[in-house]
Amino acid sequence: MKKLIVIDGNNILYRAYFALPSMMTKSGVPTGAIYGFLSTLFKLVQEKPDYLLVAFDMHGPTFRHAQYDAYKAGRAATPDDLRAQVPLMKKLLGEMGIAVCECPRFEADDILGTFARIANEGGVDALLVTGDRDALQLIGPNTHVLMPKKTNETVEYDEALLMEQYGLTPARMPDLKGLMGDSSDNLPGIPGVGEKTARKLLDKYGTLENVLAHAGEEKGALQKKLLDGAESARMSYRMGIIDTHAPVQFGLEECAFEPARMAGGAPMMQELELRSLLSRLPKGEDVAPGAPLEGNKITHIRVDDAGKLAALAQSLSGARRLALHIEDTLSLSTDGATQYDVVLGATLLDAGLDENQVYTALRGALENEAIEKLVFDAKRFRHILARFGVKLAGVTFDAMLTDYLLHAIHPADTLKTLATERLGFSESGAAALLRLADSMLPELAEKGLTWLYKEVELPLEHVLFDMERIGFALDADVLKEMSAAFKARIDAIAEQIFSLAGERFNILSTKQLRTILFDKLQLPPWKKTKSGYSTDAETLETLADKHEIVPLIIEYRTLSKLCSTFLDGLVAVIRPESGRVHTRFNQNVTATGRISSTEPNLQNIPVRTELGREIRKAFVASKGNLLVDADYSQIELRLLAHMSGDEGMIRAFCEGDDIHRRTASEVFGVPFEAVTGMQRSAAKAVNFGIVYGISDFGLARNLGITRKEAARYIDLYLTRYPGIRRYMLESVEAGKRDGYVKTLMGRRRELPELQSSNYNTRSFGERVAMNMPIQGAAADIIKLAMVRVHQRLTCEGLRAKLILQIHDELIIDAPKDEAEHVAALLTECMQNVIQLSVPLRADVKIGRSWFETK
């Protein structure tokens, strides 16, 4: 049986807008709701509908307003940055060949109902996609309603599920609305009658009219409510009935869905910078994402036997440039017009070859430094080659890193996405890399990013590869001993919690914990979420002094997370052959330029608690070695002093003062020696907070003071350090004027947020304008230091290896006889990597374990 899918466009866009973080293009066009809508759409087309339609409300009054002029009165206005996305969404759907329907004086619900009726009359099943419960009345044998519930979760309602969850047939859903009303539509129903009571009444009497007819049989207050609210209920009932005969302007055949036509939306998706979604367009020869540009024809030559492989290897020996890419196929190109494809896997084996033979044959070209290599994600390619003992030399163009520097907030995750966006064709192989290099490298130069690319990002890729290969030694016995101790403590805490609660329950269950804290123990709830009162960490901290159970719950959660994530979790990822953990360093993820770590995330090892620090005892040097650890001291504050040019802060750093005590002395007007611990803590919070654009609200929460007092602290600080106030104002002005801000080394971060009509988004953009140049500069400095340290270790022939970068810290695994020399080398490289108006300081320590170096 054929299927029609009808989507409530306004409802799904609205839900996507509030479910996802703000997104926008470099020019400030909001796209978050469109992104969420498309994510839903791509899931739905996997159902392979025969017909597809998106219904939208039209601006202006409907026939319901004519019957009840307060209909939907008081509903909050649509946010400007959501309103702006509606016409864009309609246009994009048109480009994708998807029918869009609007109907004057009727709502999207009525369009859903009308097309469901038309479809059923034509023997077609209908699936209605909406978060509006009114649509449940449309359910029938051949009509279901798909409702989003939570992120990535949906529920498909049929008659059986509706009865199971509501105890009602579809026809009775308007009766339910008539009794309980609907605040979102400003329908009063019967005041004082909620869903629970309404369902009981319908279960008892069947219909709204029967409920009203038997109102006199109810008792007390309910009887009076039913008698007084009868007409209000009838009006609400009428307003809630969906009109299934809306005067739509076209029929079912105009909604015929052709997946191939969705590719027509690729250019607009590229324009809206929705890169990650391009690859989700339906695949097939007729659905290439974007029309090929003239001259993009590529000749493919299949290499599938030993003779062709040998000929290819010979032809590459004299190449000047060689582009390489590997997915299911290893592709190579020297001119961008011809691409050699080596099909790996079973096909290769059928030809009597294996991957080892392929890479061995190509070793000469791959390891030839004189041949410039063009790749996407060189580090990944190095790991592949390393399995066969082959090295990659001469990399001059890494499209992934180049794109990251050009588009830090929306970097492409695949070569196919990048080629589609910049070249307009779907080829994702080596030939595309040559064409990308010709357009992207000049753009790097135009934007002043060439030095950062050549001196920092490109050589850093090789450094990170070596670090991933080497790994960090872990003492599994230490982890297991700690795990056993933690679990014993967790069990003991659990028993204390159960005793105080008077019952056993799942402490990690938000729902069960909510019941214990707020229903049974009657603790005051602090904030509410969609699912009920919050039990998050912030809430528990505010309740810590209200009942002795709360600190125990906080400790239980902390220990449970440490145990599962960092103790048991780390044991699970130790490689048996090396006894080491090999994290993956991500070079193109954060918009500030910071390196991130995954699988496992070693940058997330907790440091603020004693228990967290204990975990570092398991991170040890190799046998016979010591760890040399260097940590930049207050690098972001030093950068703030340099970049702001504030004389007072520069002088404090140059004189080697305790910067937080000096700040407290200056701000609070007391002698340096007389600064109290509380004043120093306040100054420290403001110092670090300024770097991250802290507000009076955030500072008040951090220090446990009033917002008024926090605002006074910030004002005193900026008055005493006028250079910092000036820097903050000028950074925001530069962001608005140029559309981006940049670091000392030229790294850029586009600021479309400053163009947003949403106040919160603009405020976020202003904070980014102030703090990104500082955070980004710190990232650039640590990266350049890594490159310099790696070069020195290699040039001096030392056996010591750089094994970890975490925030502002570098760790080297060094033989004992090299440790002192490596410590001096590390200090020199880190402190002299860049010349500022204040000295950079690196604190270096040596120890057998990471714990000992801290």
Side-chain angles (χ1 to χ4, degrees):
M1 196 168 182
K2 290 186 175 182
K3 176 188 280 190
L4 160 73
I5 293 180
V6 190
I7 303 172
D8 184 336
N10 295 90
N11 184 276
I12 301 303
L13 272 174
Y14 185 89
R15 294 179 68 90
Y17 175 81
F18 286 102
L20 297 172
S22 176
M23 292 174 57
M24 58 187 68
T25 66
K26 293 188 291 293
S27 61
V29 178
T31 58
I34 296 173
Y35 179 94
F37 185 100
L38 288 176
S39 296
T40 298
L41 178 65
F42 288 138
K43 289 179 183 177
L44 291 171
V45 298
Q46 293 175 9
E47 301 287 324
K48 298 182 179 178
D50 301 280
Y51 307 96
L52 181 59
L53 170 72
V54 182
F56 285 95
D57 296 330
M58 290 190 74
H59 185 66
T62 68
F63 72 88
R64 293 181 178 86
H65 289 89
Q67 298 176 29
Y68 177 51
D69 57 9
Y71 180 60
K72 294 190 176 180
R75 179 177 285 193
T78 302
D80 291 341
D81 50 347
L82 171 57
R83 187 187 303 278
Q85 296 180 66
V86 177
L88 292 174
M89 188 72 252
K90 293 176 184 175
K91 181 181 178 183
L92 179 55
L93 289 168
E95 298 289 330
M96 300 171 88
I98 295 171
V100 170
C101 184
E102 300 172 290
C103 195
R105 297 181 62 78
F106 287 80
E107 297 179 75
D109 277 352
D110 302 310
I111 298 172
L112 264 66
T114 299
F115 273 95
R117 174 187 58 80
I118 293 171
N120 291 173
E121 289 174 354
V124 175
D125 285 343
L127 179 66
L128 312 179
V129 184
T130 178
D132 191 336
R133 194 164 67 171
D134 285 347
L136 296 175
Q137 66 186 269
L138 300 171
I139 292 172
N142 300 108
T143 297
H144 293 177
V145 173
L146 187 71
M147 298 191 75
K149 289 297 183 183
K150 297 179 181 179
T151 305
N152 296 323
E153 290 184 19
T154 56
V155 177
E156 184 171 336
Y157 283 92
D158 57 11
E159 292 172 293
L161 183 58
L162 184 66
M163 178 60 70
E164 178 185 326
Q165 292 199 5
Y166 287 91
L168 298 171
T169 62
R172 299 282 70 82
M173 292 305 291
D175 298 74
L176 180 66
K177 187 164 186 169
L179 286 167
M180 64 178 287
D182 186 340
S183 59
S184 67
D185 288 341
N186 196 37
L187 297 178
I190 296 179
V193 172
E195 182 172 340
K196 186 176 180 181
T197 301
R199 286 167 61 176
K200 284 183 178 179
L201 289 169
L202 290 173
D203 184 56
K204 188 174 182 180
Y205 299 113
T207 68
L208 170 64
E209 284 302 327
N210 277 344
V211 170
L212 298 178
H214 291 84
E217 299 174 18
E218 296 299 314
K219 297 178 181 179
L222 180 57
Q223 181 189 89
K224 183 171 179 11
K225 290 174 184 177
L226 294 175
L227 292 172
D228 292 346
E231 288 311 308
S232 174
R234 291 188 175 102
M235 182 275 294
S236 299
Y237 169 81
R238 291 193 301 273
M239 292 294 99
I241 294 178
I242 290 174
D243 190 330
T244 60
H245 289 79
V248 295
Q249 300 302 305
F250 54 82
L252 200 59
E253 289 310 313
E254 285 78 6
C255 305
F257 175 58
E258 300 175 32
R261 295 187 61 191
M262 291 185 73
M268 187 171 175
M269 288 172 65
Q270 294 166 16
E271 182 183 333
L272 294 173
E273 299 172 15
L274 299 171
R275 296 175 164 201
S276 61
L277 294 177
L278 283 167
S279 61
R280 295 178 63 183
L281 286 166
K283 294 178 174 59
E285 292 183 357
D286 54 348
V287 291
L293 300 175
E294 284 297 319
N296 277 349
K297 297 292 185 181
I298 295 173
T299 301
H300 290 266
I301 298 176
R302 189 181 179 93
V303 178
D304 53 9
D305 63 41
K308 292 178 182 177
L309 179 62
L312 172 61
Q314 178 63 33
S315 70
L316 297 179
S317 61
R320 182 178 67 85
R321 295 195 303 172
L322 172 60
L324 310 113
H325 189 63
I326 183 167
E327 288 175 359
D328 297 329
T329 298
L330 168 64
S331 60
L332 307 95
S333 181
T334 58
D335 59 10
T338 303
Q339 179 169 297
Y340 297 89
D341 298 315
V342 185
V343 183
L344 306 175
T347 303
L348 188 65
L349 291 173
D350 290 343
L353 295 170
D354 58 28
E355 287 185 60
N356 184 58
Q357 289 171 286
V358 170
Y359 292 116
T360 299
L362 299 174
R363 180 195 295 271
L366 295 172
E367 295 187 347
N368 187 342
E369 187 86 34
I371 301 175
E372 296 181 16
K373 309 302 187 311
L374 296 81
V375 295
F376 184 97
D377 192 356
K379 178 157 66 69
R380 171 178 169 268
F381 199 63
R382 288 187 199 280
H383 279 295
I384 293 171
L385 293 178
R387 298 203 302 265
F388 306 100
V390 178
K391 297 179 180 179
L392 180 64
V395 175
T396 59
F397 178 67
D398 187 324
M400 183 186 79
L401 298 180
T402 307
D403 180 61
Y404 175 53
L405 288 175
L406 294 174
H407 302 107
I409 56 176
H410 294 305
D413 56 351
T414 65
L415 175 58
K416 184 173 184 178
T417 296
L418 187 59
T420 300
E421 182 180 83
R422 293 190 67 99
L423 304 176
F425 66 101
S426 61
E427 294 278 1
S428 63
L433 284 164
L434 286 149
R435 304 184 188 197
L436 286 169
D438 292 340
S439 67
M440 296 177 77
L441 290 176
E443 188 177 345
L444 276 184
E446 179 187 339
K447 293 183 176 179
L449 292 163
T450 300
W451 185 90
L452 185 65
Y453 171 72
K454 288 185 175 181
E455 300 299 322
V456 180
E457 295 293 353
L458 200 58
L460 180 67
E461 167 271 315
H462 201 164
V463 176
L464 295 177
F465 163 73
D466 282 348
M467 291 167 64
E468 290 178 358
R469 291 274 291 174
I470 296 163
F472 203 142
L474 275 177
D475 190 327
D477 291 336
V478 170
L479 290 172
K480 290 173 183 176
E481 288 172 11
M482 290 180 66
S483 178
F486 272 39
K487 286 173 181 174
R489 175 61 181 154
I490 289 168
D491 290 343
I493 295 172
E495 292 304 321
Q496 289 178 269
I497 291 172
F498 297 151
S499 177
L500 291 168
E503 63 178 275
R504 305 183 79 83
F505 65 100
N506 182 353
I507 302 169
L508 297 179
S509 164
T510 299
K511 184 177 180 180
Q512 293 182 39
L513 182 59
R514 186 186 299 136
T515 300
I516 294 295
L517 295 180
F518 306 124
D519 295 341
K520 188 168 185 178
L521 300 179
Q522 293 292 298
L523 295 180
W526 194 62
K527 62 181 177 181
K528 196 171 186 178
T529 66
K530 291 181 180 179
S531 58
Y533 291 120
S534 175
T535 60
D536 63 11
E538 188 178 19
T539 298
L540 292 182
E541 289 293 340
T542 65
L543 297 174
D545 60 349
K546 301 291 191 295
H547 195 288
E548 58 185 314
I549 197 174
V550 179
L552 291 170
I553 292 169
I554 294 173
E555 185 179 1
Y556 182 92
R557 278 185 173 179
T558 302
L559 291 176
S560 296
K561 181 174 182 180
L562 287 174
C563 197
S564 62
T565 303
F566 298 110
L567 297 180
D568 299 342
L570 285 171
V571 169
V573 295
I574 296 174
R575 290 191 188 171
E577 68 274 15
S578 65
R580 308 174 81 88
V581 62
H582 300 262
T583 188
R584 185 178 75 195
F585 295 102
N586 303 306
Q587 201 174 343
N588 69 328
V589 172
T590 68
T592 60
R594 287 276 189 186
I595 298 168
S596 67
S597 164
T598 51
E599 300 176 10
N601 183 358
L602 296 186
Q603 296 194 348
N604 210 26
I605 301 292
V607 296
R608 294 183 180 179
T609 66
E610 188 59 38
L611 288 172
R613 287 189 288 271
E614 287 284 311
I615 294 173
R616 297 189 175 203
K617 289 181 178 178
F619 287 82
V620 296
S622 302
K623 187 176 181 180
N625 283 13
L626 291 171
L627 297 180
V628 183
D629 182 303
D631 198 346
Y632 274 122
S633 172
Q634 302 166 333
I635 186 171
E636 291 181 341
L637 280 179
R638 293 170 189 268
L639 283 165
L640 176 61
H642 172 81
M643 295 169 70
S644 68
D646 187 274
E647 294 180 1
M649 186 164 278
I650 290 173
R651 184 170 56 252
F653 276 118
C654 288
E655 293 175 358
D657 286 347
D658 175 337
I659 188 64
H660 303 311
R661 183 173 290 276
R662 173 57 61 195
T663 298
S665 173
E666 299 279 4
V667 168
F668 296 113
V670 298
F672 185 84
E673 299 78 13
V675 170
T676 66
M678 185 173 181
Q679 288 172 328
R680 185 183 183 280
S681 294
K684 182 177 181 180
V686 179
N687 266 332
F688 287 120
I690 287 293
V691 175
Y692 291 91
I694 199 168
S695 65
D696 54 3
F697 174 79
L699 182 62
R701 186 174 59 188
N702 290 348
L703 294 178
I705 59 178
T706 65
R707 287 185 68 174
K708 185 176 181 180
E709 193 173 6
R712 186 175 71 86
Y713 282 3
I714 294 174
D715 190 57
L716 282 170
Y717 181 95
L718 295 176
T719 299
R720 184 59 193 84
Y721 296 117
I724 294 176
R725 186 192 294 274
R726 183 175 59 252
Y727 161 78
M728 294 168 69
L729 293 173
E730 290 177 353
S731 293
V732 174
E733 289 172 4
K736 291 178 178 177
R737 180 186 66 245
D738 303 329
Y740 64 89
V741 288
K742 62 182 181 179
T743 68
L744 294 173
M745 296 184 190
R747 185 182 303 278
R748 294 162 61 125
R749 201 282 195 187
E750 308 291 339
L751 284 170
E753 295 91 348
L754 292 177
Q755 306 302 318
S756 173
S757 58
N758 182 284
Y759 172 79
N760 290 332
T761 303
R762 284 199 313 277
S763 297
F764 170 75
E766 291 173 357
R767 291 195 297 275
V768 171
M770 290 183 277
N771 64 48
M772 185 275 168
I774 297 170
Q775 294 177 41
D780 293 342
I781 287 171
I782 194 77
K783 283 181 169 180
L784 185 55
M786 293 171 71
V787 172
R788 299 276 171 83
V789 168
H790 187 270
Q791 289 172 343
R792 285 281 300 275
L793 293 175
T794 303
C795 290
E796 294 185 20
L798 297 170
R799 291 165 291 158
K801 304 294 183 184
L802 183 62
I803 59 172
L804 185 63
Q805 180 271 331
I806 175 168
H807 308 306
D808 304 320
E809 178 181 1
L810 297 181
I811 301 177
I812 292 178
D813 191 358
K816 289 180 181 179
D817 60 347
E818 293 182 359
E820 291 295 338
H821 177 68
V822 167
L825 179 155
L826 192 53
T827 304
E828 180 187 346
C829 287
M830 291 179 70
Q831 293 186 169
N832 297 323
V833 71
I834 188 173
Q835 294 302 309
L836 304 175
S837 56
V838 297
L840 282 176
R841 195 181 89 196
D843 298 324
V844 182
K845 291 185 179 179
I846 299 173
R848 173 73 187 125
S849 71
W850 193 2
F851 178 85
E852 290 180 12
T853 67
K854 307 307 291 183

